[in-house]
Amino acid sequence: MSVPLPPIEVDFPDLARWGTGNAGTPYLWTFGGERAGPHVLLQALTHGNEVCGAIALDWLLAEGFRPARGTVSFCFANVAAYETFDPDKPFDSRLITHNLNRIWSPAWLDGNEDSVELRRAREMRPAVAAADHILDIHSTSQDVVPFWVYPSFERNAAVARALVRPEVHLVMPVGLGSGTPLIQHGAHGQADGAGAALVVECGQHFKQATADLATDVAQNFLAHFGLIDRPMPNPTASPRRFELLRTHVIKHPSFAFARPVIGFETFAEGELIATDGAEEIRAPCDDCTIFMPARIVIVGREGVYLTKPMRS
Ligand SMILES: [Zn+2]
């Protein structure tokens, strides 16, 4: 099945100039302010083709950004995958071997396997552990509204509400899913942890609006923690919040959705969402809302996220 490719509206920044880093780790830049304050990590390119975060951090670095207080770290995570970008195959540069957003458990990080992503995660691990608050900047294959993703701790929800944009929240119960994402590494995955850690999905990978939102949210995140002065946007409505019920990982090459989907479609309880070999994936509740349906079928990758709307 051939799927039409989306237009590529943005230029991909040349990141070579940031390759040395300034803190002993390639593509990692850390700057301290004159006054004490929290350490905030802004991360781009956890997935190699999600260019919006790279555009945001490339701009902040090129502007010579320095925090008024606290410490900021800018990290371009999977540059190896980013550098394989091919406009004729724009989805292939997501990763080389491992999903860099599923390997943040001690089992993977301390294990014996090797890959570009595991080496990079091990190299980044001290910087991630040193950060009080983390913003991990992503984008989506499909052209859907932007949204937050975060473990269901109030400290994360409070940040998402305070930043206002985006106004959709996908709340993950801890320990449900297909691996350990960056934002659940160490203390950020613990109920008694102190720091916030959120993913922001800024829109379709290659749209200019996605890069613009990534740049805006990155600055709002820094402002929220006092690193810069910047007024927050005013809320226009209460955020729409969804609770992740389950992540379906594709088991069979015949995986297919029951109807064409891009995300945010809703299904009645019991309604067929997709089939995967002999398995039927049916909505476990009314108003079951799907997120991030797979654009193409790759066995072992996530096929779809099933969620239900939350009351608040
Ligand atoms: Zn991503």
Side-chain angles (χ1 to χ4, degrees), residues 38-58:
H39 187 161
V40 172
L41 169 64
L42 302 184
Q43 179 152 315
L45 296 180
T46 300
H47 293 133
N49 66 343
E50 299 182 1
V51 63
C52 66
I55 292 169
L57 300 196
D58 177 69

Side-chain angles (χ1 to χ4, degrees), residues 5-287:
L5 294 176
I8 295 173
E9 299 176 2
V10 294
D11 291 327
F12 279 51
D14 178 359
L15 301 181
R17 58 179 166 162
W18 311 123
T20 58
N22 72 342
T25 304
Y27 296 101
L28 176 76
W29 293 78
T30 296
F31 302 103
E34 303 218 328
R35 288 177 285 144
H39 187 161
V40 172
L41 169 64
L42 302 184
Q43 179 152 315
L45 296 180
T46 300
H47 293 133
N49 66 343
E50 299 182 1
V51 63
C52 66
I55 292 169
L57 300 196
D58 177 69
W59 179 78
L60 283 162
L61 280 164
E63 289 284 299
F65 175 85
R66 300 291 181 272
R69 61 185 279 262
T71 302
V72 66
S73 291
F74 300 115
C75 181
F76 301 96
N78 200 345
V79 178
Y82 175 76
E83 286 176 343
T84 69
F85 181 76
D86 176 350
D88 294 326
K89 298 175 188 167
F91 295 94
D92 286 12
S93 49
R94 177 177 174 81
L95 53 87
I96 305 276
T97 304
H98 286 110
N99 182 342
L100 184 53
N101 209 24
R102 296 293 180 271
I103 56 176
W104 288 92
S105 59
W108 278 108
L109 296 173
D110 298 329
N112 296 322
E113 284 202 54
D114 185 37
S115 70
V116 165
E117 284 83 10
L118 282 165
R119 256 172 275 153
R120 182 61 172 154
R122 287 165 186 151
E123 186 173 84
M124 288 162 46
R125 190 176 185 177
V128 173
D132 295 307
H133 308 292
I134 299 173
L135 177 66
D136 188 15
I137 305 170
H138 289 246
S139 54
T140 50
S141 300
Q142 301 284 1
D143 189 3
V144 291
V145 294
F147 55 94
W148 296 102
V149 186
Y150 54 82
S152 62
F153 303 131
E154 177 51 32
R155 62 183 190 263
N156 293 330
V159 174
R161 280 195 300 268
L163 268 64
V164 180
R165 286 198 296 266
E167 293 180 311
V168 173
H169 300 198
L170 174 54
V171 182
M172 295 190 296
V174 179
L176 186 74
S178 50
T180 304
L182 175 79
I183 58 171
Q184 281 179 224
H185 176 66
H188 289 107
Q190 304 299 320
D192 60 359
L198 299 91
V199 159
V200 61
E201 299 278 0
C202 296
Q204 207 281 335
H205 300 323
F206 311 121
K207 291 185 80 169
Q208 183 63 48
T210 303
D212 293 346
L213 182 67
T215 305
D216 190 53
V217 173
Q219 293 174 86
N220 286 343
F221 198 81
L222 294 170
H224 178 74
F225 291 107
L227 275 67
I228 54 172
D229 288 324
R230 188 175 208 252
M232 287 297 160
N234 292 316
T236 55
S238 298
R240 284 194 292 151
R241 301 178 78 216
F242 298 85
E243 180 186 2
L244 179 63
L245 300 173
R246 130 173 141 80
T247 306
H248 180 81
V249 176
I250 298 174
K251 302 184 185 78
H252 196 274
S254 68
F255 176 90
F257 288 99
R259 52 180 158 108
V261 290
I262 60 168
F264 289 93
E265 293 82 3
T266 59
F267 293 81
E269 184 171 359
E271 189 179 350
L272 185 67
I273 298 171
T275 54
D276 192 0
E279 184 183 349
E280 291 184 337
I281 299 128
R282 291 185 178 276
C285 61
D286 273 334
D287 294 320

